[in-house]
Amino acid sequence: MNKIDKILDLQEQGFTRQEIAKELGYKRLDSMTRYLKKQGYILVDNKYVLDANTKSNTNIANTGTNTTSNTLEVIDVNTVANTQTNTIEQFVKVLDNKIVELLRSDYDILKEMIDRFKKNMEVHNSSNITIDLIDDRHLKQYPKAVRVNEFVWEDWTKFCVEHNKFSKKELISMALKEYMEKHK
């Protein structure tokens, strides 16, 4: 078993990169990483995988159905094509099915991201106000009281009425955020 096979085998057994480096006698983790990089491997999600852009004709396919523990596996197209039961067309179908399966499993998340993106684009296109805040709907809300200059408050109230497609909470949060970023 050569060094690369040993590294990949230990990685599959669940060893961390640091543990693998120590096991193989590397004094520094980056020495092992440089060695693997020269051999055509890259680091993806803290795991070494063969780079798809290397000179060999390989494709990366996602394996497994659990999206939280998916790992990348390198599949050699020539090997797939040369087996009796598999063809390139079957390989593409399997890859397409995996992609569709991943999209289905995270459909709600993707839809929410797309809807949020569209909302931000509509807001950006209809006015020069962009609300860029971390979603805190899942947190318990507490009322906050502040004292404000009376003239500023009157102007603020008019501003909120003119931009009623945003909540007052969003507008004041964004105003405070922009002010803090400007005066860091």
Side-chain angles (χ1 to χ4, degrees), residues 143-149 153 172 176:
K144 281 81 173 171
V146 293
R147 298 188 187 275
V148 181
N149 178 289
W153 185 253
I172 199 162
L176 288 170

Side-chain angles (χ1 to χ4, degrees), residues 53-177:
N53 297 325
T54 57
K55 291 180 183 177
S56 65
N57 188 15
T58 59
N59 287 330
I60 296 180
N62 202 342
T63 60
T65 57
N66 186 351
T67 58
T68 58
S69 64
N70 283 345
T71 58
L72 292 175
E73 179 181 310
V74 178
I75 301 173
D76 185 2
V77 174
N78 295 327
T79 304
V80 173
N82 292 334
T83 61
Q84 292 177 346
T85 58
N86 292 328
T87 64
I88 297 289
E89 293 82 18
Q90 288 173 327
F91 173 75
V92 171
K93 284 180 185 176
V94 168
L95 189 58
D96 286 344
N97 289 340
K98 298 268 185 199
I99 292 169
V100 169
E101 185 178 314
L102 285 172
L103 290 173
R104 279 190 186 137
S105 67
D106 292 332
Y107 175 79
D108 293 335
I109 295 169
L110 292 170
K111 183 168 178 8
E112 183 179 332
M113 288 172 58
I114 291 168
D115 291 343
R116 189 175 299 159
F117 176 77
K118 286 179 180 178
K119 181 181 175 188
N120 282 343
M121 289 306 294
E122 289 171 6
V123 168
H124 187 51
N125 290 337
S126 65
S127 72
N128 58 356
I129 298 175
T130 303
I131 303 296
D132 181 23
L133 299 170
I134 297 172
D135 184 15
D136 67 345
R137 286 179 283 181
H138 63 285
L139 301 174
K140 187 173 179 182
Q141 302 293 309
Y142 297 100
K144 281 81 173 171
V146 293
R147 298 188 187 275
V148 181
N149 178 289
E150 183 64 29
F151 301 107
V152 172
W153 185 253
E154 288 175 8
D155 290 342
W156 178 254
T157 305
K158 290 176 190 173
F159 180 85
C160 289
V161 169
E162 292 171 3
H163 297 89
N164 62 3
K165 60 183 140 200
F166 305 105
S167 70
K168 284 186 177 181
K169 176 188 168 189
E170 289 174 325
L171 290 171
I172 199 162
S173 296
M174 199 62 212
L176 288 170
K177 180 180 177 186

Side-chain angles (χ1 to χ4, degrees), residues 35-69:
Y35 169 74
L36 285 166
K37 194 172 188 176
K38 287 180 185 175
Q39 303 302 317
Y41 286 81
I42 59 173
L43 199 58
V44 175
D45 291 332
N46 220 14
K47 293 203 180 250
Y48 298 107
V49 294
L50 191 58
D51 187 359
N53 297 325
T54 57
K55 291 180 183 177
S56 65
N57 188 15
T58 59
N59 287 330
I60 296 180
N62 202 342
T63 60
T65 57
N66 186 351
T67 58
T68 58
S69 64

